[in-house]
Amino acid sequence: MTGQKLLAEGLGTAMLLVGVVGSGIMAETLADGNVALALLANAIATGCMLYAIITTLGPISGAHFNPAVTLAFALRGEHSWSAVAPYVLVQIGGGILGVWACHVMFDLAILQSSATMHRTGTAQWFSEILATFGLLFVIFGGLRSRPEAVPALVGLYITGAYWFTSSTSFANPAVTIARGFSDTFAGIYPGHIPMFILMQLAAVGIGHLMLPRLFAPR
């Protein structure tokens, strides 16, 4: 593992949060109370950012930007276990820095904690299992069939998953933690973060049992 890989993971996750939180702030500002329009703008911007950062940083670090993805690769024997903790730490740190950068960009208080965006309950917890499993399905299925298409597949999947999941598809523990530091459209109340992460990790376990059977080596 090199510093270049960690820099790529930290910077990429920061840019992902800039896409998620920044577009959420802009969308809420311009949508004039139309939540559907704001969510659409938020989803499109996030999908575009994912395509850009996976394409550019994938050759350097693998473009995980997500502890759940890093763990899934480690369970498959495709990522060193000794590199899991460093990846996860820079992903979380990068995500928080990305949120703070958004606050600076939109002239908001840098240090915040979400007090208004309550995301909890069985429906949303189950949604996070499906959202995270679906993300892993797209990644490993894409790597099996068309590796060059993975950036587009992930971007399109997350854009759609914003709409077909009740939780708006966080599907990423680092993103979930970082969004707790923003009391904006994309925020999440900190008390609801642990269950989201638990469901995301449960999806990794389910994926580890199912996906190797589905996408067996040729």
Side-chain angles (χ1 to χ4, degrees), residues 95-130:
I96 295 171
L97 290 175
V99 168
W100 289 345
C102 286
H103 294 164
V104 172
M105 183 164 52
F106 287 94
D107 197 24
L108 302 175
I110 296 174
L111 300 180
Q112 300 183 19
S113 177
S114 182
T116 57
M117 296 303 288
H118 293 273
R119 305 177 191 266
T120 189
T122 303
Q124 294 204 44
W125 298 336
F126 182 65
S127 175
E128 277 302 291
I129 294 177
L130 292 181

Side-chain angles (χ1 to χ4, degrees), residues 148-181:
E148 74 282 359
V150 170
L153 290 172
V154 172
L156 289 171
Y157 173 77
I158 291 297
T159 300
Y162 263 58
W163 285 86
F164 63 70
T165 63
S166 62
S167 64
T168 66
S169 186
F170 282 43
N172 183 331
V175 165
T176 304
I177 291 170
R179 288 171 68 165
F181 286 83

